[in-house]
Amino acid sequence: MESIVLSVGGLLLVFFAIYYGLLEKRLNQIKRQVERNHYLLREIAKKLDVGEEEQNQKVVELLAQGKKIEAIKEARMLYPHFGLKEAKEYVDAMEKQHKGL
C-alpha cells in the first residue's frame, strides 16, 4: 500500500513539474508579446508625431491636481509593462522634472 502511495505521489510531482514548466514557458511568451506590442505602440506614436510629453500630459495634470495615486494608475496604463513600483518611480521622476507641482 505504501509503495502505491509513493508511486502516485511521484507521478503527481512529475505532472506538476511538467505543468509548471509549460506555464512558465507560456508566461514568457506572453511577456515577449507584450514587450513587442509596447515597442510597436511607441513606434506608431513616433510616426504620428505624438511625443512622450503629450502622452504624459495626463500624468502631469494629475500631479498638478495633487492626485498622485491616479497619476500612478495613468502611468501604468501608458506603460503596461510597469509594475506598481516602476510606475511610482516614474511618477516621482515626473514630479521632480516638473518641480512646480
Side-chain angles (χ1 to χ4, degrees):
M1 179 70 167
E2 188 176 317
S3 63
I4 294 173
V5 171
L6 289 175
S7 296
V8 170
L11 286 173
L12 284 174
L13 185 61
V14 169
F15 170 76
F16 283 121
I18 291 170
Y19 186 68
Y20 177 79
L22 293 173
L23 284 177
E24 188 174 33
K25 181 179 177 182
R26 181 65 182 136
L27 181 60
N28 287 332
Q29 289 173 339
I30 291 170
K31 284 180 182 178
R32 284 192 303 272
Q33 196 172 25
V34 167
E35 288 170 1
R36 218 174 301 124
N37 289 343
H38 188 252
Y39 170 78
L40 290 173
L41 287 172
R42 282 195 317 259
E43 292 301 310
I44 290 168
K46 285 179 190 175
K47 289 186 189 258
L48 293 174
D49 200 27
V50 178
E52 188 174 321
E53 221 20 73
E54 291 173 21
Q55 291 176 339
N56 294 324
Q57 189 60 36
K58 180 74 174 174
V59 173
V60 173
E61 289 172 9
L62 289 167
L63 284 171
Q65 297 169 12
K67 298 179 178 179
K68 191 167 187 173
I69 292 172
E70 287 83 358
I72 293 169
K73 289 179 184 178
E74 182 67 24
R76 290 190 75 190
M77 286 175 47
L78 281 172
Y79 303 100
H81 64 284
F82 278 3
L84 186 57
K85 179 183 176 197
E86 291 87 1
K88 183 187 178 306
E89 290 171 352
Y90 180 78
V91 168
D92 289 343
M94 293 289 290
E95 196 170 30
K96 286 180 184 176
Q97 184 180 1
H98 298 86
K99 291 182 171 112
L101 301 178

